[in-house]
Amino acid sequence: MNTATQVQEPSQRTTISPRLAKNYRRNITERIIEFLLMLCALSAVFTTIAIVVILVYESYSFFEHVSVFDFLTDPQWTPLFEDAHYGIMPLVSGTLTISFVALAFAVPVGTIAAIYLSEFASHKTRETVKPILELLAGVPTIAFGYFALLLVTPLLQMVFPDLPTFNMLGPGIVIGIMVVPYIASVSEDAMRAVPMSMREGAYAMGATRFQTAMRVVTPAAISGIVAAYILAISRAIGETMVVAIAAGQQPNLTFNPMDSAATITAYIVQVAMGDLPHGSIGYQSIFAAGLVLMLMTLFFNVLGHFTRKKFREAY
Amino acid sequence: MANADLTTKAEARDFNFFYSNGHHALKNINLPLYENKITALIGPSGCGKSTLLRSFNRMHDLYPGNRYEGEIVMHPDNTNILDANVDPIEVRMRISMVFQKPNPFPKSIFENVAYGLRVRGEKNKRLLADKVEEALKGAALWDEVKDRLQDLAFNLSGGQQQRLCIARALATDPEIMLFDEPTSALDPIATANIEELMNDLRGKLTMLVVTHNMQQAARVSDYTAYMYLGDLIEHDKTGDIFIKPKDKRTEDYITGRIS
């Protein structure tokens, strides 16, 4: 009794019965929605590509006038002066120094805040403190700029009398304060995502709260915590207003946070506010600086990606 | 059920437990755990057996609002481990626990087993290495992992992870081990391994095991307690419970009329 029947694929889509006509329409709607969703997702990709294209294109014209070697080794950045120098390093050093100060402040404070909120605070405290902390991320950066210039720097000058009015320490700390909510909030989410069973395991071994938090929960959440640091680094490198206001706008090849300096973003905003003719070398220098900024951010993102992969824990 | 050669290692006396939502989960429980014997807790879901087990190492302290009443006394020192003056951390150092789902820490195999000793402040490398080896041997895992002690514990299979958790609990020389449905997340072969392991530990350690699996209770335990709706219905030698239960409700459960 072998009656294997050949199943034939219908040669074209047919509506089986009027009852199912609705089904067909539903498929079309579904596809339109899918297309719209994809469009939204792609808009971010296209924007990124467009920015890269413009940056590379304008920088290309810039590098026709300035050699890449000079760009990377000249210790001066004075594109708007009579005697123009195009060495990006003073801006890079300013950017890195300020970001370093910011992270030296924000990483410990943010991480400890996250550990407290996730492992020690009562439910009520957490629900009160976290939204307030997140509100801090919504304060306009211009307010932080004047906060650095008019409050933090004068306070620091009481400790370090030689500190100039424009310096990198004050704005660095203020940017640190600004990114604490990012680190605290994202790290806290990562720590809360560690399953309770793992904490119970630690407590059952006789661990204290502190030991559980430090030796079990934090290592388990490390990939999320590193993600928070990366977010903070990108934010610190890209921060413009605070440094433009409080760090002075003199490109200065130094890693000493007590000096005044300019960052890449501060330079860009400074030039953009002047009236440079379109296509001039000064105008193009913005794009070269922007390209460097983007590469730096990209570098840290890639670094973060691999660090996260390395520490990735499955549970 | 009293027997002359039995020493009581711990016992619940008129013990009541209330969850933070007011639910009266355990009612007047009186249960002895005999030294170096395995006691099994059986009963339908929601009867309170896990709640009772977790009271023995004060796991309920982790969640605010839970309340104990009555006593759980540990011998020979006669300490009521529920007393407000008793540090729950000290209790957990004497009574360790193995959970339903293997919950290794995000650390190496070695560090998982050494964890309990490390939180006790042990730094002597030689001693740690010896203890870890002894515990892994005790948990019948040593031969499988001795060449990769520095590997991440998550790379082990589920059954191996559970034996690792047993090794972790053994490493601190506990007086009592609690097992909360230790095999319910494991396949039959891994389950057989764990049961064999518990059999090996019989006579060396006082154990309390919650299980959903009555065959398992019959296979591994010396004593069995049947719980129903927060009451302890019957406690006796495992053979007696399964062959001639005194209470009608116990009989209904073990013959499958209540599930």
Side-chain angles (χ1 to χ4, degrees), chain A residues 163-200:
Chain A
L163 193 71
T165 308
F166 295 108
N167 62 75
M168 294 192 277
L169 190 59
I173 292 174
V174 168
I175 294 173
I177 295 171
M178 262 172 63
V179 299
V180 161
Y182 289 87
I183 295 183
S185 183
V186 176
S187 306
E188 199 255 4
D189 287 341
M191 295 175 77
R192 303 277 302 156
V194 174
M196 199 57 208
S197 66
M198 206 179 276
R199 283 188 193 87
E200 286 191 345

